[in-house]
Amino acid sequence: MNTQLYINGRWQTGVDEVENRNPSDLSDVIGSFAQAGRDQLQEALQAARAAQPIWWAAGIQKRHDVLMAIGTELMARAAEIGEMVAREEGKPIAEGKGEVYRAGQFFTYYAAEVLRNQGDLAESVRPGIEIDVRREPVGVVAIVSPWNFPVATPAWKIAPALAFGNAVVWKPANLTPASAVLLTEIIAKQDIPAGLFNLVTGSGREIGQALVESPKIDAISFTGSVPVGRGIAAAAVANMTKVQMEMGSKNPMLIMEDCDLDLAVAHAAGAAFGGTGQKCTAASRLIVHEKIHDAFVEKLVAAAQGFQVGHALAEGTQIGPVVSEGQLEQNLEYMRIGRDEGAQVLCGGERLTRDTKGYFMSPAVFAGTRNDMRINREEMFAPITCVMKAGSYAEALDIANDSEFGLTAGIMTTNLARANHFRANMRAGCVMVNLPTAGTDYHVPFGGRGSSSFGAREQGRYAAEFYTTVKTAYVAAGAPE
Ligand code: NAP
Ligand code: MG
């Protein structure tokens, strides 16, 4: 599948092309995909600016209908598009399908949200004046998204952007261009103004940087790594561009001595290794009460070793390959770093060979780790999890909160008082009680604290804070003649 750019309502070739290969099978060339040039980015920005007021004026029924059509088609084609996600990103096919279906749900949710966008009326403190407060579109939104959820993450940004009347210029991750094109094809099919939605594929350092630095955008929604986020924030401030960012994490899970041990093992293993650990919600710090530490670790290792690692499209695969060679090398480097820091490797952390040549790696468990080790401070984005021992709930909570990040956090306990205390005192955007750290709904806010997030929350009705700007109107009615 050779892919093109979508700019001003037209499919275009880029100024360059890059090859796209399957991480489960490096002999499988998915196609070559277009790299946008700077002039093409300018054309997209100009077109978006012109299309946005037309889209806003088209009204709520139109916007509802378009979003509903996009969402319905994504759900209907979840199997087909999910297969491409699995082929290109390397997640098992069931996860690829689930992701595309979820992407559809973001569109149908925001289709309904279009109709619920109501303002406020207020009386003035000055007699004879009426006030109303309405939400208006913020304008042209730049969306920069990562490869790990190549359809769902852009969907939870594009859907509210369009719902609230904005135009979009989207720069997806260069590792997953085919997924981006399939989503764009569905949007391009709709009766929307030319230029309302633009796809500019290309490298982050080139076209991504040029996009976020442009004074022609009004807002930036970014998901990705902390270093790139810092650069984007600086670019945004220079132009006073509204910005929202979801970034790294180091999600803790407290495993208390009163928990259901088997459930704790299942949730911890699933959250640590699902999606090859390449989730911002992955459980990467397992803080285990000393009374059950050894029993928990033994079962966790058995669970890690029990996962079937293989080709993402093969039946029975539970963990697919790592997304790229660079990511795999970085993961293996973290295995060396952990060993050098004195952590004990209980299992995994090795490159695996399979029938096809790909970036396969066995899920790894480090034990005997301390929270000041790099493997407990830095996001690895790998199928590697670190176990720490704690003597009490209070100690475990202190360790959990000692991090620059604060995206998701979980506790496994049957003690109601502890569960409630954790909900109130864990410094994170999402807290999970007797659930994995990964796995969130589509109709409620998602985001974190500290270095994990910046700006307004994503998802649910809270997304209005980012994708709209508020106007306060004062009207003096005057006296009738
Ligand atoms: P990344 O390197 O930060 O890239 C994210 C996106 O930014 C990609 O589209 C990338 O393009 C682009 N980009 C890179 N440099 C840029 C620049 N200078 N200016 C503008 N855009 C630029 O992250 P990644 O490697 O794709 O994904 C892994 C990271 O994302 C992890 O750290 C993970 O935690 C984070 N993540 C966070 C969440 C969350 O919701 N909190 C969700 C998923 C992932 P290229 O593809 O061309 O590099
Ligand atoms: Mg990158």
Side-chain angles (χ1 to χ4, degrees), residues 204-232:
R205 253 170 293 155
E206 300 274 324
I207 217 69
Q209 186 75 32
L211 172 61
V212 299
E213 282 177 351
S214 172
K216 294 199 179 112
I217 55 171
D218 301 291
I220 305 167
S221 183
F222 168 75
T223 297
S225 62
V226 175
V228 173
R230 276 190 217 290
I232 288 179

Side-chain angles (χ1 to χ4, degrees), residues 374-395:
R374 279 183 65 190
I375 52 171
N376 276 319
R377 310 304 300 179
E378 298 171 15
E379 179 172 59
M380 297 188 270
F381 228 52
I384 305 174
T385 197
C386 301
V387 179
M388 283 177 272
K389 211 184 259 189
S392 64
Y393 161 72
E395 190 195 341

